[in-house]
Amino acid sequence: MKRELFSVLSAAALFLAADPLLAHSDKQGTTPVHGAQLTETPEMIHMVFDDPMRITMVRLVNADGDEMPIERGAGLEPSLEFHAEPQSLLPGSYTVEWRGLASDGHAMQGSFSFELTD
Ligand SMILES: [Cu+2]
């Protein structure tokens, strides 16, 4: 019984550690949504936060980890929204990785993925 509880708590702790966003909010939204299957390159990569976020790093990588060029749409000011424009992409899996500073000064990070099909 005690051991089971411990496992549950450990799993919860790992989960929280893996996704610091949960400490702040579960309202972050992205376009494309995580897991989206698209037939063409998204015009915009978009992230929405419920509290101003200063995005300090953002990159788009393919399945091999190669970085794809994106044009960042805003400056380094904290903002509720962030967008970046990717160039035309070949079919494949892509991940957006970002880091930022929340308004309370906490370092945040996240990622989401989408797939481009033929
Ligand atoms: Cu915080």
Side-chain angles (χ1 to χ4, degrees):
M1 182 65 180
K2 263 186 182 170
R3 196 168 144 196
E4 276 173 19
L5 181 61
F6 180 73
S7 322
V8 169
L9 289 175
S10 306
L14 282 176
F15 188 57
L16 286 172
D19 192 354
L21 261 183
L22 291 178
H24 289 257
S25 153
D26 57 0
K27 287 183 187 153
Q28 185 224 9
T30 67
T31 309
V33 297
H34 179 62
Q37 303 232 330
L38 309 174
T39 52
E40 50 189 46
T41 302
E43 278 180 43
M44 235 14 132
I45 287 164
H46 198 220
M47 299 188 279
V48 181
F49 302 97
D50 73 344
D51 212 38
M53 181 74 72
R54 182 195 301 273
I55 299 291
T56 54
M57 186 286 286
V58 62
R59 55 191 218 128
L60 175 66
V61 296
N62 67 11
D64 293 330
D66 299 325
E67 195 167 346
M68 306 285 112
I70 52 174
E71 190 174 330
R72 194 182 158 121
L76 278 167
E77 300 78 31
S79 176
L80 293 173
E81 289 187 71
F82 177 88
H83 65 271
E85 209 176 318
Q87 289 180 10
S88 186
L89 300 170
L90 296 170
S93 297
Y94 296 91
T95 301
V96 178
E97 300 171 345
W98 62 270
R99 290 178 195 279
L101 272 184
S103 55
D104 64 3
H106 287 161
M108 309 288 284
Q109 62 181 331
S111 66
F112 58 98
S113 302
F114 61 90
E115 194 166 340
L116 206 58
T117 59
D118 281 313

